[in-house]
Amino acid sequence: MLIFLLPLLLSLSASSHSHPLDPLTASEITTIRRVILSSASDQSFSFHYIGLDEPDKPALLSWRPSHAASLPRRAFVIARSDRQTHEILVDVSNRSIISNAIYRGAGYPILTAEEQTVAVELPSIYPPFLESIRKRGLDLAEVVCSTFSVGWFGEARRRRRRLLKILCFLAGETANYYVRPIEGVTIVVDLDKMEIVGYRDRAQIPVPKAEGTDYRAPAGKEKGKRKGGGVKPGVVVQPEGKGFEIEGHMVRWANWAFHLSFDVRAGTVISLASFYDAEKRSRRRVLHRGFVSELFVPYMDPTEDWYYKTFFDEGEFGVGLCASSLEPMADCPANAVFMDGCYAGGDGKPVVIKNVFCIFERYAGDVAWRHTEAGIPGQAITEVRPDVSLVVRMVCTNGNYDYVMDWEFKTTGSIKFGVSLTGILEVKATPYTHADQITSEQYGTLLADSTIAVYHDHFITYYLDVDVDGVNNSFVKSKLKTVHVTDGSTPRKSYWTVVKETADTEADAQVRLGSEPAELLIVNPNKKTKVGNIVGYQIIDHGGTAVSLLTEDDYPQMRARYSNKQVWVTAYNKSEKWASGLYVDQSTGDDNLATWSQKNRVIKNRDIVLWYTVGFHHIPCQEDFPLMPLLSGGFELRPFNFFESNPIIKTQPYRHLPSFNCTSNV
Ligand code: MN
Ligand code: CU
């Protein structure tokens, strides 16, 4: 009997946890691969993307956990075979192919990790490269090569191939090979042929030295000599345990509930974020679906070796594909819970990233609200509530750079989007050893002997299908206007007041922050508070508001035209997910957020999507070498007339907690 019961029990427990937005499981990915390969005569498919094709929004919104089996599981697959890009829709439940179309437009899919691994090995058996290494007197055993997308600079499509540039570096005594480029040597690989089709050894510039570049903790005799700046270790203690629950991919904490998923392109995907409003005794929707949609990183050196470095780290390399396994007690605090991610490798087989997410309650020692009242005779009143929030963290290590991406949910109803940059700068080798020697434009900062870090930008663009208290929302600019008083009715000569403008169409909702004093809101014009204010959420920047300074006719800017404004709002369209288009490698800018917005659709009282770009102009400085400390920015969606009053006014203060700082506990 046990033999028959066991599979039943397993399937029951699986369905009780399954949600239509759950990421594809390893077994589903295996099924998808089998279905595709068994239907194809050609078995040479390489899989560039396999992700959940989420159910259409109305079906999803009417879904309830009791309907577990009612929504079909579908996967969207981008695969290459015989130099062609296939878009395949697979019915995972029925193990069948729904459609298989060849994409003939511009651009190529995300590079697979496997093809990059093969490509970086090509130079080591390429005679001209071996000659370049020999004549520089370098040791081939110390050479490490890395991949760089080629971009698009106006080439006609018919002459284009799937190309990749390879640059090489010297490791040797340091792990930090990125700061030791073999400058002047550029290798071009045709990825479909997997062979070197271009080679240039332009100049011999000495490789910067290894000394002082390593970032690893010293070992051996040096161990213990460098301490952490006098900081003592610390851990978070939760005497009553964790305050959140994870069931499958649903996370519930305080008043929040949301679905957490992993996608090989986007990384973290948050869906169906809703807030339980204790006063209204109902769960209120805030964010239907959100993720980082693109990371655009253009460098500012226009010379032969560098001009093409205008990376789209998500569309070309995959934020999820580059996700790092998080280190317990280091990347995340002691009270964190970890979750794995799964994606399809280039061969279509499932690959697991251990600890791709961590989820933890943040006790930062901050105050949520407080007041001291000394004005009432005979009473000394101080009322304080500590701030606690829930963080979902992922780290994307895209070659040299690391991005720490946080989604922070607050008991006040806010969602904070944090992105931090760290890792290693892209540098070029130079003969200069002192800034005084430099007499011509170098497009960067001399950081160390023979090492220039090139100016660049980081633009991190978020897709946020906001559904504030329902699907139909509007975008409102609350403009602050100065009023001059000229009639002598008051001693004042001026004041400011608010003039609200609701955006009718997409053209009205493209905003460059700071161009005029205005507060930006997503509102639900169909819902009002008791006193009659329209419910909404405010968009607040928390630093990182740079916009692209490239000209509109510059090729990388054509591909990321949206990067000249921080805020765009579009009408919801299931296919418009990726700010720089579905196919980004060598894209030509004909499919991106800016082009969709040219349709100028109506966005007033409609299902709308907010696109927000966090931007940094990075002028490197010496503290960024040999590895830069975190530089953070982000923004917040904060309730604005969403609640009737401060939603955490009735929370209890902490009382009588045991102290864990006494030595007897250590
Ligand atoms: Mn929406
Ligand atoms: Cu940077």
mmCIF file of all heavy atoms in Angstrom, residues 483-496:
data_model
loop_
_atom_site.group_PDB
_atom_site.id
_atom_site.type_symbol
_atom_site.label_atom_id
_atom_site.label_comp_id
_atom_site.label_asym_id
_atom_site.label_seq_id
_atom_site.Cartn_x
_atom_site.Cartn_y
_atom_site.Cartn_z
ATOM 1 N N VAL A 483 3.098 81.039 -6.029
ATOM 2 C CA VAL A 483 2.080 82.065 -6.280
ATOM 3 C C VAL A 483 2.619 83.381 -5.729
ATOM 4 O O VAL A 483 3.031 83.450 -4.569
ATOM 5 C CB VAL A 483 0.745 81.701 -5.579
ATOM 6 C CG1 VAL A 483 -0.297 82.781 -5.825
ATOM 7 C CG2 VAL A 483 0.256 80.332 -6.042
ATOM 8 N N HIS A 484 2.649 84.390 -6.571
ATOM 9 C CA HIS A 484 3.077 85.716 -6.113
ATOM 10 C C HIS A 484 1.849 86.464 -5.601
ATOM 11 O O HIS A 484 0.813 86.474 -6.251
ATOM 12 C CB HIS A 484 3.715 86.503 -7.254
ATOM 13 C CG HIS A 484 5.034 85.936 -7.671
ATOM 14 N ND1 HIS A 484 6.210 86.222 -7.015
ATOM 15 C CD2 HIS A 484 5.349 85.056 -8.654
ATOM 16 C CE1 HIS A 484 7.194 85.556 -7.580
ATOM 17 N NE2 HIS A 484 6.704 84.829 -8.583
ATOM 18 N N VAL A 485 1.998 87.077 -4.424
ATOM 19 C CA VAL A 485 0.877 87.849 -3.870
ATOM 20 C C VAL A 485 1.141 89.315 -4.171
ATOM 21 O O VAL A 485 2.161 89.867 -3.761
ATOM 22 C CB VAL A 485 0.757 87.622 -2.347
ATOM 23 C CG1 VAL A 485 -0.449 88.366 -1.799
ATOM 24 C CG2 VAL A 485 0.661 86.137 -2.036
ATOM 25 N N THR A 486 0.242 89.915 -4.915
ATOM 26 C CA THR A 486 0.470 91.310 -5.332
ATOM 27 C C THR A 486 -0.607 92.250 -4.816
ATOM 28 O O THR A 486 -0.502 93.455 -4.955
ATOM 29 C CB THR A 486 0.499 91.396 -6.875
ATOM 30 O OG1 THR A 486 -0.697 90.788 -7.371
ATOM 31 C CG2 THR A 486 1.710 90.700 -7.445
ATOM 32 N N ASP A 487 -1.671 91.694 -4.204
ATOM 33 C CA ASP A 487 -2.797 92.574 -3.827
ATOM 34 C C ASP A 487 -2.722 93.083 -2.390
ATOM 35 O O ASP A 487 -3.659 93.699 -1.904
ATOM 36 C CB ASP A 487 -4.127 91.844 -4.056
ATOM 37 C CG ASP A 487 -4.247 90.585 -3.184
ATOM 38 O OD1 ASP A 487 -3.306 90.302 -2.400
ATOM 39 O OD2 ASP A 487 -5.266 89.878 -3.294
ATOM 40 N N GLY A 488 -1.601 92.784 -1.707
ATOM 41 C CA GLY A 488 -1.453 93.305 -0.347
ATOM 42 C C GLY A 488 -2.352 92.652 0.680
ATOM 43 O O GLY A 488 -2.486 93.137 1.797
ATOM 44 N N SER A 489 -2.962 91.527 0.346
ATOM 45 C CA SER A 489 -3.884 90.864 1.275
ATOM 46 C C SER A 489 -3.162 90.171 2.415
ATOM 47 O O SER A 489 -3.794 89.730 3.374
ATOM 48 C CB SER A 489 -4.741 89.853 0.506
ATOM 49 O OG SER A 489 -3.901 88.880 -0.098
ATOM 50 N N THR A 490 -1.869 90.044 2.330
ATOM 51 C CA THR A 490 -1.072 89.378 3.363
ATOM 52 C C THR A 490 0.302 90.019 3.377
ATOM 53 O O THR A 490 0.755 90.537 2.352
ATOM 54 C CB THR A 490 -0.946 87.867 3.051
ATOM 55 O OG1 THR A 490 0.134 87.331 3.830
ATOM 56 C CG2 THR A 490 -0.664 87.604 1.592
ATOM 57 N N PRO A 491 0.965 89.972 4.570
ATOM 58 C CA PRO A 491 2.351 90.485 4.593
ATOM 59 C C PRO A 491 3.277 89.667 3.694
ATOM 60 O O PRO A 491 4.330 90.134 3.303
ATOM 61 C CB PRO A 491 2.751 90.347 6.065
ATOM 62 C CG PRO A 491 1.473 90.267 6.814
ATOM 63 C CD PRO A 491 0.485 89.603 5.898
ATOM 64 N N ARG A 492 2.890 88.412 3.388
ATOM 65 C CA ARG A 492 3.714 87.553 2.536
ATOM 66 C C ARG A 492 3.649 88.017 1.090
ATOM 67 O O ARG A 492 2.645 88.549 0.640
ATOM 68 C CB ARG A 492 3.224 86.101 2.642
ATOM 69 C CG ARG A 492 3.536 85.447 3.978
ATOM 70 C CD ARG A 492 4.951 84.916 4.017
ATOM 71 N NE ARG A 492 5.110 83.823 3.063
ATOM 72 C CZ ARG A 492 4.812 82.551 3.327
ATOM 73 N NH1 ARG A 492 4.367 82.213 4.522
ATOM 74 N NH2 ARG A 492 4.973 81.623 2.409
ATOM 75 N N LYS A 493 4.744 87.789 0.369
ATOM 76 C CA LYS A 493 4.777 88.119 -1.050
ATOM 77 C C LYS A 493 4.596 86.879 -1.923
ATOM 78 O O LYS A 493 4.401 86.976 -3.127
ATOM 79 C CB LYS A 493 6.122 88.777 -1.403
ATOM 80 C CG LYS A 493 6.402 90.065 -0.647
ATOM 81 C CD LYS A 493 5.485 91.185 -1.120
ATOM 82 C CE LYS A 493 5.858 92.511 -0.448
ATOM 83 N NZ LYS A 493 4.733 93.464 -0.533
ATOM 84 N N SER A 494 4.735 85.700 -1.290
ATOM 85 C CA SER A 494 4.640 84.480 -2.103
ATOM 86 C C SER A 494 4.356 83.261 -1.236
ATOM 87 O O SER A 494 4.570 83.291 -0.023
ATOM 88 C CB SER A 494 5.941 84.247 -2.878
ATOM 89 O OG SER A 494 6.987 83.919 -1.982
ATOM 90 N N TYR A 495 3.884 82.223 -1.847
ATOM 91 C CA TYR A 495 3.744 80.899 -1.224
ATOM 92 C C TYR A 495 3.686 79.888 -2.368
ATOM 93 O O TYR A 495 3.613 80.268 -3.529
ATOM 94 C CB TYR A 495 2.480 80.827 -0.355
ATOM 95 C CG TYR A 495 1.186 81.046 -1.087
ATOM 96 C CD1 TYR A 495 0.448 79.962 -1.593
ATOM 97 C CD2 TYR A 495 0.687 82.344 -1.297
ATOM 98 C CE1 TYR A 495 -0.736 80.173 -2.272
ATOM 99 C CE2 TYR A 495 -0.487 82.557 -1.984
ATOM 100 C CZ TYR A 495 -1.202 81.471 -2.475
ATOM 101 O OH TYR A 495 -2.369 81.669 -3.160
ATOM 102 N N TRP A 496 3.757 78.597 -2.010
ATOM 103 C CA TRP A 496 3.550 77.613 -3.084
ATOM 104 C C TRP A 496 2.292 76.810 -2.845
ATOM 105 O O TRP A 496 1.859 76.618 -1.716
ATOM 106 C CB TRP A 496 4.752 76.720 -3.331
ATOM 107 C CG TRP A 496 5.207 75.799 -2.211
ATOM 108 C CD1 TRP A 496 6.278 75.989 -1.411
ATOM 109 C CD2 TRP A 496 4.638 74.536 -1.810
ATOM 110 N NE1 TRP A 496 6.409 74.947 -0.524
ATOM 111 C CE2 TRP A 496 5.426 74.031 -0.754
ATOM 112 C CE3 TRP A 496 3.549 73.788 -2.245
ATOM 113 C CZ2 TRP A 496 5.143 72.809 -0.117
ATOM 114 C CZ3 TRP A 496 3.264 72.568 -1.614
ATOM 115 C CH2 TRP A 496 4.060 72.098 -0.559
#
